[in-house]
Amino acid sequence: MKNIFNLPFFSWDSILLFSSLPLFSMLLVDYSKFTYSTNDIMLKLILPFSIIATISFTCVSFFEIPIWQWDSGLLVISVMLLIWRWNKMMQAPPAFPAGRA
């Protein structure tokens, strides 16, 4: 089954899945300074995901980069981001009680 970008159908799923991996590092935040804002969260989640997904589709479709190489690169970037954010979160002061300082 081919589509307009000349990719097999399962490739879309793989690209979307691996494009969302770098966003998982955004769950690790400094909760002592965390303020909840719906607009801020939507901007921080949807904008990076749409940029990463667009770049992924473009590179795989038009520049003919193999999907497994692109997905492997996104996986490595995601692990590096998770390690960086984990270390940053561990250095932050504890957030008690429930994020109020």
Side-chain angles (χ1 to χ4, degrees):
M1 174 182 228
K2 294 284 187 175
N3 49 34
I4 58 172
F5 289 110
N6 209 13
L7 292 172
F9 185 70
F10 67 88
S11 300
W12 290 83
D13 296 341
S14 172
I15 291 171
L16 288 175
L17 172 73
F18 280 92
S19 294
S20 65
L21 282 178
L23 300 179
F24 290 129
S25 67
M26 298 183 87
L27 296 173
L28 303 174
V29 295
D30 180 4
Y31 288 104
S32 64
K33 297 176 184 171
F34 182 73
T35 57
Y36 181 78
S37 170
T38 306
N39 294 334
D40 190 38
I41 290 174
M42 296 303 281
L43 183 66
K44 286 183 178 179
L45 288 178
I46 292 181
L47 187 63
F49 175 73
S50 60
I51 291 171
I52 293 169
T54 303
I55 291 171
S56 297
F57 282 123
T58 303
C59 288
V60 170
S61 299
F62 298 114
F63 299 127
E64 298 178 359
I65 296 174
I67 293 173
W68 69 270
Q69 288 179 350
W70 186 260
D71 290 347
S72 299
L74 284 174
L75 183 65
V76 167
I77 290 171
S78 301
V79 168
M80 288 173 31
L81 280 172
L82 281 170
I83 291 170
W84 175 65
R85 295 287 293 230
W86 177 262
N87 289 333
K88 193 173 177 184
M89 187 180 74
M90 287 293 114
Q91 293 172 356
F96 294 110
R100 293 184 283 278

